[in-house]
Amino acid sequence: MNPNRTASNGAPVTVTLLGTGDAFASFGRSQSGYLIDAPGGRILIEAGPGLMPALKTNGVAPDSFDLLLISHLHGDHFAGLPFLILDYMWETPRKKVLTVAGPAKLEERTWLLMRTMFPHFELDKIKHKLKFVVLEPGSSTRLGKFKVRAIRSPHTKPEISLSLRIDGGGKSIVFSGDSGWNDELVELSAGADLFLCECTYYESTQLTFHLNYPLLAANRDKFKVRRMVLTHLGREVLSRADEIALEMGYDGMKIEI
């Protein structure tokens, strides 16, 4: 039996794709955001710039999750955080602490971004409602009722980008984050119920800091997962949608596992 495999019984887990676009919001898609509803709680993965419209379009209360995971510090993955914090300050005051977990420097960069965008706000009134946790590559961290395992993805240097595996509620979900090819990602995803895998390029195979469709299609059998859904879709992929044999996600898509 694969030691990474979790039981797939019990109550269903639902994943809502809030944003499946790349950094350029190709074809009008929202940038990165994913919501997990599981028996152990609700998790938000990524906070792209369009986070607040995506949450409210999908009827998701901004204070309804107590764990937010960020894969890396590019704007299309975390630049929505100031607007979420702004909402907590003025519209939807948080009653419980939000745990925000991600790579090193996430806390520092979040408050720097917040001060840049809203320089006159008294941030001390909200800071106590956010607890930042550093996810170290190669580590597993217990966050509430979920176990989060992180590996380093070959996307950014010297800053760290992460691929994440979330285990909880009897299910496993793996999120590639932004990543070039990485054999460790194959191991991380082994036995997962759902693998959300970025697929930015089609022709630009020379750009190895993102995954491309020909590479994924040729190596699909290496990923021993129950279901694989492509996301972080770029212009090259979306313009060839009729040639894509692997399942592609879309904004607002709901996946039950």
Side-chain angles (χ1 to χ4, degrees):
M1 179 180 292
N2 190 318
N4 291 319
R5 188 75 172 96
T6 57
S8 295
N9 50 19
V13 172
T14 301
V15 180
T16 304
L17 309 190
L18 300 172
T20 57
D22 62 357
F24 307 102
S26 293
F27 281 51
R29 292 189 176 218
S30 293
Q31 292 154 331
S32 296
Y34 311 88
L35 190 72
I36 300 173
D37 282 296
R42 174 175 267 186
I43 302 173
L44 179 66
I45 305 176
E46 308 288 61
L51 173 64
M52 297 310 295
L55 289 176
K56 295 183 179 185
T57 296
N58 285 275
V60 179
D63 64 343
S64 63
F65 45 88
D66 296 313
L67 175 59
L68 169 56
L69 303 176
I70 301 291
S71 68
H72 66 291
L73 302 181
H74 280 167
D76 56 316
H77 293 260
F78 94 112
L81 267 174
F83 299 105
L84 182 65
I85 294 169
L86 186 72
D87 196 275
Y88 292 155
M89 293 177 70
W90 298 101
E91 292 290 315
T92 317
R94 284 200 67 89
K95 295 180 174 61
K96 295 190 292 183
V97 171
L98 173 65
T99 297
V100 185
K105 300 183 181 179
L106 173 58
E107 180 174 12
E108 172 190 342
R109 290 276 293 277
T110 296
W111 295 121
L112 175 61
L113 188 59
M114 188 71 187
R115 286 193 296 271
T116 300
M117 295 172 67
F118 302 106
H120 303 299
F121 288 176
E122 298 180 28
L123 299 182
D124 288 342
K125 293 182 178 180
I126 189 64
K127 280 188 173 183
H128 68 287
K129 289 297 184 180
L130 277 70
K131 175 186 177 182
F132 287 86
V133 175
V134 176
L135 299 176
E136 298 288 353
S139 70
S140 292
T141 306
R142 175 65 63 175
L143 296 170
K145 295 184 179 180
F146 299 93
K147 183 175 75 172
V148 179
R149 181 181 168 194
I151 62 170
R152 184 168 189 173
S153 70
H155 180 61
T156 54
K157 291 182 180 180
E159 288 190 339
I160 290 174
S161 297
L162 301 173
S163 299
L164 303 169
R165 180 181 180 119
I166 303 103
D167 288 289
K171 306 294 171 78
S172 292
I173 297 167
V174 173
F175 174 56
S176 68
D178 285 3
S179 179
W181 181 262
N182 181 5
D183 288 332
E184 197 175 357
L185 182 59
V186 175
E187 188 276 330
L188 181 74
S189 63
D193 294 284
L194 176 65
F195 178 31
L196 297 171
C197 184
E198 78 119 312
C199 185
T200 303
Y201 295 125
Y202 196 111
E203 300 97 72
S204 301
T205 56
Q206 79 281 4
L207 300 176
T208 58
F209 48 85
H210 279 292
L211 289 167
N212 62 76
Y213 179 74
L215 181 64
L216 287 172
N219 290 277
R220 172 61 181 90
D221 290 344
K222 292 184 179 180
F223 293 103
K224 306 302 182 184
V225 299
R226 291 185 62 204
R227 186 172 178 181
M228 178 177 178
V229 177
L230 303 183
T231 187
H232 200 278
L233 298 163
R235 170 184 50 80
E236 294 180 3
V237 178
L238 292 169
S239 65
R240 292 173 172 258
D242 58 346
E243 301 174 40
I244 306 299
L246 301 180
E247 183 178 10
M248 292 195 297
Y250 55 87
D251 292 5
M253 181 180 186
K254 292 186 182 296
I255 303 170
E256 187 173 294
I257 59 175

